[in-house]
Amino acid sequence: MKVLVIGGGAREHALCRSLSLDPDVTALHCAPGNTGIAEVATTHPVDVLDGAAVADLALALGADLVVVGPEAPLVAGVADAVRERGVAAFGPSAEAARLEGSKAFAKDVMAAAEVPTARSYVCAGPAEIDAALDAFGAPYVVKDDGLAAGKGVVVTDDVEAARAHALACERVVIEEFLDGPEVSLFAVTDGETVVPLQPAQDFKRALDGDEGPNTGGMGAYSPLPWADPKLVDEVLQTVLQPTVDELRRRGTPFSGLLYAGLAITSRGVRVIEFNARFGDPETQVVLARLKTPLAGLLHAAATGELAAFPALRWSEGAAVTVVVASHNYPGTPRTGDVIEGLADVAEQDAPHAYVLHAGTQRDGSGRVVSAGGRVLSVTASGTDLGEARTRAYEAVSRLRLDGSHHRTDIAARAAEAAAAVG
């Protein structure tokens, strides 16, 4: 199978890494890719939002499968453009991707499918915003209705900060605060059959102890030793399958990766939000544990053959990812700083730990430099969370990037809890 992956972040590097290890993949391409991806796939320049250009590239490469990584190309209809040219595409149509592209649309689908979620108001002006904030009270949860690269949500006790964020949004969803730990659960679907993956937990806040501003994600781990063993089955029955069934009923079947962001509240599981693609950094740890070859799974979803696909196989161990971010992230990041230590990790930590590139590029001298906010995802596996954590942070300690920062507490509480039970 010849596979083309669209995107250039750590999520796409994780996808490419898994696909490169799949014996059924005879050629692996990525557009535009990044410095790290170029080590496992042939990279090509492309405008990821230009469906015709992506489809042309897929045909030129003789691709059997196109995997669309980021949300913006999906909402722009890139998967549709590829399918219209006769190439299998893993990723929902633009219409179905509205599940992520519009929080209000997602709430409407959940209401029709009787999926448990937070009570909410869609607001279009100052009067409606003030009424909604007053109705729910603190902590205030304010969400930009559209795509915001993981930074469109503000959770705050400061009503003025909540109001300012709401007014800055063209259309805004204000909802009740959901208590309890958060879980990310991915599912692969062909529009009918839904195959859940293993759950993960990510860390949105920039600083240790869940302090600081929201980010696109500073780390993740899997499995979740504290979670109910029946959680995946419960979410499949009450959230994932009903949502897929409702979208098919509407004539806009969802085929691809359905990502449910969940809160395990005192009143049960509630959906915080849906995404229409693999999440970053959760993908890094979920794929690190997946033993089933990836290409066949994604191709089965893209071609409507998921019902016949064998049950997924998983490592019994654990995986942890720690994100190394640029100076000032999640504010305007400083770029162009030289990254050192990548070869040291490859020599001393492989195969248990490895670096996935997110925001990197080569400068005029051929050095790898920072080129974004989240620069690297250091991912490690172990027999349990404690070992995976130790290996991840040992690898992080070998990396040098001026002004960079990372959280030191990724999976710490979960590892301690698991060790106490063990």
Side-chain angles (χ1 to χ4, degrees), residues 357-373:
H357 291 236
T360 67
Q361 64 184 27
R362 289 195 184 274
D363 66 8
S365 302
R367 299 174 301 178
V368 180
V369 299
S370 60

PDB file of all heavy atoms in Angstrom, residues 357-373:
ATOM      1  N   HIS A 357       8.748  15.280  15.904  1.00  0.00           N
ATOM      2  CA  HIS A 357       8.888  16.708  15.606  1.00  0.00           C
ATOM      3  C   HIS A 357       7.515  17.345  15.383  1.00  0.00           C
ATOM      4  O   HIS A 357       6.652  16.772  14.725  1.00  0.00           O
ATOM      5  CB  HIS A 357       9.738  16.894  14.345  1.00  0.00           C
ATOM      6  CG  HIS A 357      11.174  16.523  14.516  1.00  0.00           C
ATOM      7  ND1 HIS A 357      12.208  17.406  14.257  1.00  0.00           N
ATOM      8  CD2 HIS A 357      11.761  15.376  14.931  1.00  0.00           C
ATOM      9  CE1 HIS A 357      13.369  16.801  14.490  1.00  0.00           C
ATOM     10  NE2 HIS A 357      13.117  15.567  14.903  1.00  0.00           N
ATOM     11  N   ALA A 358       7.354  18.542  15.918  1.00  0.00           N
ATOM     12  CA  ALA A 358       6.110  19.305  15.730  1.00  0.00           C
ATOM     13  C   ALA A 358       6.414  20.590  14.975  1.00  0.00           C
ATOM     14  O   ALA A 358       6.058  20.741  13.812  1.00  0.00           O
ATOM     15  CB  ALA A 358       5.470  19.605  17.079  1.00  0.00           C
ATOM     16  N   GLY A 359       7.097  21.529  15.625  1.00  0.00           N
ATOM     17  CA  GLY A 359       7.448  22.796  14.978  1.00  0.00           C
ATOM     18  C   GLY A 359       8.941  22.886  14.776  1.00  0.00           C
ATOM     19  O   GLY A 359       9.648  23.509  15.567  1.00  0.00           O
ATOM     20  N   THR A 360       9.451  22.241  13.729  1.00  0.00           N
ATOM     21  CA  THR A 360      10.884  22.280  13.434  1.00  0.00           C
ATOM     22  C   THR A 360      11.116  22.523  11.947  1.00  0.00           C
ATOM     23  O   THR A 360      10.230  22.294  11.119  1.00  0.00           O
ATOM     24  CB  THR A 360      11.589  20.955  13.804  1.00  0.00           C
ATOM     25  OG1 THR A 360      11.113  19.905  12.942  1.00  0.00           O
ATOM     26  CG2 THR A 360      11.347  20.575  15.245  1.00  0.00           C
ATOM     27  N   GLN A 361      12.318  22.979  11.633  1.00  0.00           N
ATOM     28  CA  GLN A 361      12.758  23.079  10.238  1.00  0.00           C
ATOM     29  C   GLN A 361      14.281  23.151  10.239  1.00  0.00           C
ATOM     30  O   GLN A 361      14.904  23.234  11.298  1.00  0.00           O
ATOM     31  CB  GLN A 361      12.170  24.305   9.550  1.00  0.00           C
ATOM     32  CG  GLN A 361      12.621  25.631  10.135  1.00  0.00           C
ATOM     33  CD  GLN A 361      11.924  26.818   9.486  1.00  0.00           C
ATOM     34  OE1 GLN A 361      10.824  26.706   8.987  1.00  0.00           O
ATOM     35  NE2 GLN A 361      12.599  27.973   9.507  1.00  0.00           N
ATOM     36  N   ARG A 362      14.880  23.071   9.057  1.00  0.00           N
ATOM     37  CA  ARG A 362      16.342  23.209   8.958  1.00  0.00           C
ATOM     38  C   ARG A 362      16.665  24.638   8.518  1.00  0.00           C
ATOM     39  O   ARG A 362      16.002  25.190   7.636  1.00  0.00           O
ATOM     40  CB  ARG A 362      16.921  22.192   7.980  1.00  0.00           C
ATOM     41  CG  ARG A 362      16.866  20.774   8.517  1.00  0.00           C
ATOM     42  CD  ARG A 362      17.755  19.823   7.736  1.00  0.00           C
ATOM     43  NE  ARG A 362      17.613  18.459   8.220  1.00  0.00           N
ATOM     44  CZ  ARG A 362      18.300  17.948   9.242  1.00  0.00           C
ATOM     45  NH1 ARG A 362      19.184  18.702   9.877  1.00  0.00           N
ATOM     46  NH2 ARG A 362      18.106  16.704   9.629  1.00  0.00           N
ATOM     47  N   ASP A 363      17.697  25.213   9.132  1.00  0.00           N
ATOM     48  CA  ASP A 363      18.106  26.559   8.730  1.00  0.00           C
ATOM     49  C   ASP A 363      19.085  26.464   7.553  1.00  0.00           C
ATOM     50  O   ASP A 363      19.353  25.381   7.024  1.00  0.00           O
ATOM     51  CB  ASP A 363      18.707  27.327   9.910  1.00  0.00           C
ATOM     52  CG  ASP A 363      20.029  26.750  10.416  1.00  0.00           C
ATOM     53  OD1 ASP A 363      20.581  25.840   9.763  1.00  0.00           O
ATOM     54  OD2 ASP A 363      20.521  27.231  11.459  1.00  0.00           O
ATOM     55  N   GLY A 364      19.616  27.596   7.152  1.00  0.00           N
ATOM     56  CA  GLY A 364      20.503  27.630   5.992  1.00  0.00           C
ATOM     57  C   GLY A 364      21.764  26.809   6.167  1.00  0.00           C
ATOM     58  O   GLY A 364      22.400  26.416   5.179  1.00  0.00           O
ATOM     59  N   SER A 365      22.124  26.525   7.412  1.00  0.00           N
ATOM     60  CA  SER A 365      23.327  25.730   7.687  1.00  0.00           C
ATOM     61  C   SER A 365      23.003  24.247   7.879  1.00  0.00           C
ATOM     62  O   SER A 365      23.893  23.467   8.214  1.00  0.00           O
ATOM     63  CB  SER A 365      24.024  26.266   8.945  1.00  0.00           C
ATOM     64  OG  SER A 365      24.362  27.629   8.789  1.00  0.00           O
ATOM     65  N   GLY A 366      21.716  23.903   7.697  1.00  0.00           N
ATOM     66  CA  GLY A 366      21.321  22.506   7.854  1.00  0.00           C
ATOM     67  C   GLY A 366      21.021  22.093   9.281  1.00  0.00           C
ATOM     68  O   GLY A 366      20.753  20.917   9.548  1.00  0.00           O
ATOM     69  N   ARG A 367      21.049  23.047  10.222  1.00  0.00           N
ATOM     70  CA  ARG A 367      20.759  22.727  11.619  1.00  0.00           C
ATOM     71  C   ARG A 367      19.256  22.668  11.832  1.00  0.00           C
ATOM     72  O   ARG A 367      18.488  23.407  11.205  1.00  0.00           O
ATOM     73  CB  ARG A 367      21.369  23.780  12.537  1.00  0.00           C
ATOM     74  CG  ARG A 367      22.893  23.913  12.448  1.00  0.00           C
ATOM     75  CD  ARG A 367      23.404  25.071  13.284  1.00  0.00           C
ATOM     76  NE  ARG A 367      22.811  26.349  12.878  1.00  0.00           N
ATOM     77  CZ  ARG A 367      23.048  27.509  13.466  1.00  0.00           C
ATOM     78  NH1 ARG A 367      23.875  27.554  14.507  1.00  0.00           N
ATOM     79  NH2 ARG A 367      22.478  28.621  13.022  1.00  0.00           N
ATOM     80  N   VAL A 368      18.813  21.791  12.728  1.00  0.00           N
ATOM     81  CA  VAL A 368      17.395  21.714  13.084  1.00  0.00           C
ATOM     82  C   VAL A 368      17.099  22.843  14.067  1.00  0.00           C
ATOM     83  O   VAL A 368      17.760  22.963  15.112  1.00  0.00           O
ATOM     84  CB  VAL A 368      17.047  20.353  13.711  1.00  0.00           C
ATOM     85  CG1 VAL A 368      15.565  20.303  14.077  1.00  0.00           C
ATOM     86  CG2 VAL A 368      17.388  19.221  12.751  1.00  0.00           C
ATOM     87  N   VAL A 369      16.111  23.673  13.734  1.00  0.00           N
ATOM     88  CA  VAL A 369      15.760  24.815  14.576  1.00  0.00           C
ATOM     89  C   VAL A 369      14.267  24.816  14.870  1.00  0.00           C
ATOM     90  O   VAL A 369      13.477  24.155  14.186  1.00  0.00           O
ATOM     91  CB  VAL A 369      16.156  26.163  13.913  1.00  0.00           C
ATOM     92  CG1 VAL A 369      17.665  26.214  13.677  1.00  0.00           C
ATOM     93  CG2 VAL A 369      15.408  26.374  12.599  1.00  0.00           C
ATOM     94  N   SER A 370      13.875  25.550  15.896  1.00  0.00           N
ATOM     95  CA  SER A 370      12.464  25.656  16.258  1.00  0.00           C
ATOM     96  C   SER A 370      11.714  26.481  15.227  1.00  0.00           C
ATOM     97  O   SER A 370      12.248  27.450  14.682  1.00  0.00           O
ATOM     98  CB  SER A 370      12.315  26.276  17.646  1.00  0.00           C
ATOM     99  OG  SER A 370      12.887  27.578  17.672  1.00  0.00           O
ATOM    100  N   ALA A 371      10.470  26.080  14.957  1.00  0.00           N
ATOM    101  CA  ALA A 371       9.676  26.783  13.942  1.00  0.00           C
ATOM    102  C   ALA A 371       8.210  26.877  14.343  1.00  0.00           C
ATOM    103  O   ALA A 371       7.330  27.021  13.502  1.00  0.00           O
ATOM    104  CB  ALA A 371       9.808  26.068  12.592  1.00  0.00           C
ATOM    105  N   GLY A 372       7.945  26.795  15.651  1.00  0.00           N
ATOM    106  CA  GLY A 372       6.561  26.864  16.115  1.00  0.00           C
ATOM    107  C   GLY A 372       6.517  26.930  17.625  1.00  0.00           C
ATOM    108  O   GLY A 372       7.549  27.042  18.291  1.00  0.00           O
ATOM    109  N   GLY A 373       5.303  26.845  18.170  1.00  0.00           N
ATOM    110  CA  GLY A 373       5.126  26.916  19.613  1.00  0.00           C
ATOM    111  C   GLY A 373       5.463  25.610  20.306  1.00  0.00           C
ATOM    112  O   GLY A 373       6.330  25.549  21.182  1.00  0.00           O
TER     113      GLY A 373
END
